[in-house]
Amino acid sequence: MGTRGVVAVVLGAAMLFSLSTHGDTRARAAPARIMPLDNPDGLRPGLAPVRSAGDRGAAVRLISRLRVGRMGSKAGYSRARFGANWADTASGVPYARNGCRTRDDLLARDGEEVRYRRGSGCVVVSMRLRDPYTGRIVHWSKKRSDEIQVDHVVPLSYEWRMGASRWSRSKRMRIANDPLNLLPVYGGANEAKGGSGPASWLPPRRGVRCAYVVRFAQVALKYHLPVTRADKKVMLAQCR
């Protein structure tokens, strides 16, 4: 074998060793952030700001359709009421029953430089995220799993208090695993939000606040969920 052949074999072996050691990297360009009005099923990454007067008008009309209701008690609420964490067994929502946990589906949807566990097409072990809530760039790995959390845009405890306590378990599983209601975000921002509605918490990044409340409204409308009067007032104000 000539010198060039030897070099090719060595380089090929090195590449295979690297892949087997570090897992599968799906190289791709940074996913474009999509305005929620153009992303009604939640299958594309968000949140892009709502900028034009026409789009902001459409956002206000969308939010205006929300029903107003009183917030009920949190009694009886637990995360388990919405099914197992990130279960792949919900029905009637995108990604369901594809063999991957919902969290991994969402990390793959929004992440850059996504790397999977060796031998898996599901389990994300590292990635880079442009956090929609703060604008920061998060270089994440499973060793620091809480640094990126998947936020329920309409929090599960909020849903419970606004009527989900009377829903079937299958409907609660759908909203808990619906990509329209899920955004990977910087963990600190998600923890600051907790179970708050828009009247109590909005993203620190002002430029995406209209987009955020549009996403909140899209989820509430899809599941026929009311919002509080204070929340609706604040939501409308973000897009005017």
Side-chain angles (χ1 to χ4, degrees):
M1 181 182 296
T3 302
R4 290 185 180 180
V6 172
V7 170
V9 170
V10 171
L11 289 175
M15 184 176 294
L16 288 172
F17 176 78
S18 177
L19 286 173
S20 66
T21 303
H22 296 103
D24 178 20
T25 299
R26 309 285 174 89
R28 65 179 184 221
R33 274 24 186 191
I34 306 300
M35 184 180 65
L37 292 169
D38 296 329
N39 189 21
D41 55 8
L43 290 178
R44 302 164 74 186
L47 299 165
V50 181
R51 298 190 186 279
S52 75
D55 287 336
R56 294 179 81 84
V60 167
R61 290 191 294 275
L62 180 79
I63 295 165
S64 296
R65 291 166 48 199
L66 289 168
R67 291 188 298 115
V68 166
R70 291 186 177 182
M71 181 169 280
S73 169
K74 196 177 176 180
Y77 167 77
S78 71
R79 176 62 179 84
R81 298 280 189 172
F82 291 79
N85 283 2
W86 311 125
D88 188 41
T89 54
S91 59
V93 292
Y95 302 136
R97 304 178 188 273
N98 67 354
C100 302
R101 295 174 71 236
T102 305
R103 174 181 166 88
D104 286 310
D105 287 327
L106 274 295
L107 295 180
R109 184 195 69 184
D110 288 18
E112 303 169 24
E113 300 179 5
V114 175
R115 188 181 293 272
Y116 294 83
R117 179 181 295 166
R118 183 174 57 187
S120 172
C122 286
V123 181
V124 178
V125 296
S126 68
M127 56 176 277
R128 181 174 66 192
L129 179 74
R130 300 172 187 268
D131 172 39
Y133 289 170
T134 65
R136 72 171 63 199
I137 305 296
V138 182
H139 295 273
W140 175 86
S141 74
K142 285 185 76 70
K143 295 177 182 178
R144 303 186 304 278
S145 59
D146 284 348
E147 193 171 7
I148 290 178
Q149 299 175 16
V150 178
D151 177 42
H152 288 92
V153 177
V154 181
L156 300 184
S157 61
Y158 185 100
E159 296 161 12
W160 181 266
R161 300 178 71 182
M162 297 305 293
S165 60
R166 299 186 296 275
W167 292 356
S168 66
R169 183 178 177 85
S170 62
K171 184 175 181 179
R172 289 197 292 265
M173 285 186 68
R174 287 198 299 275
I175 198 170
N177 291 279
D178 190 333
L180 182 65
N181 193 28
L182 297 170
L183 287 173
V185 300
Y186 171 61
N190 189 43
E191 290 168 6
K193 173 183 171 179
S196 300
S200 301
W201 186 91
L202 289 167
R205 187 177 163 213
R206 290 180 176 274
V208 298
R209 288 182 175 178
C210 178
Y212 171 77
V213 298
V214 166
R215 192 71 168 261
F216 198 104
Q218 287 174 319
V219 176
L221 288 166
K222 180 175 180 177
Y223 288 90
H224 307 288
L225 194 73
V227 299
T228 68
R229 189 172 303 279
D231 285 330
K232 185 172 182 178
K233 180 178 179 181
V234 168
M235 291 167 76
L236 288 167
Q238 304 312 306
C239 298
R240 284 178 170 154

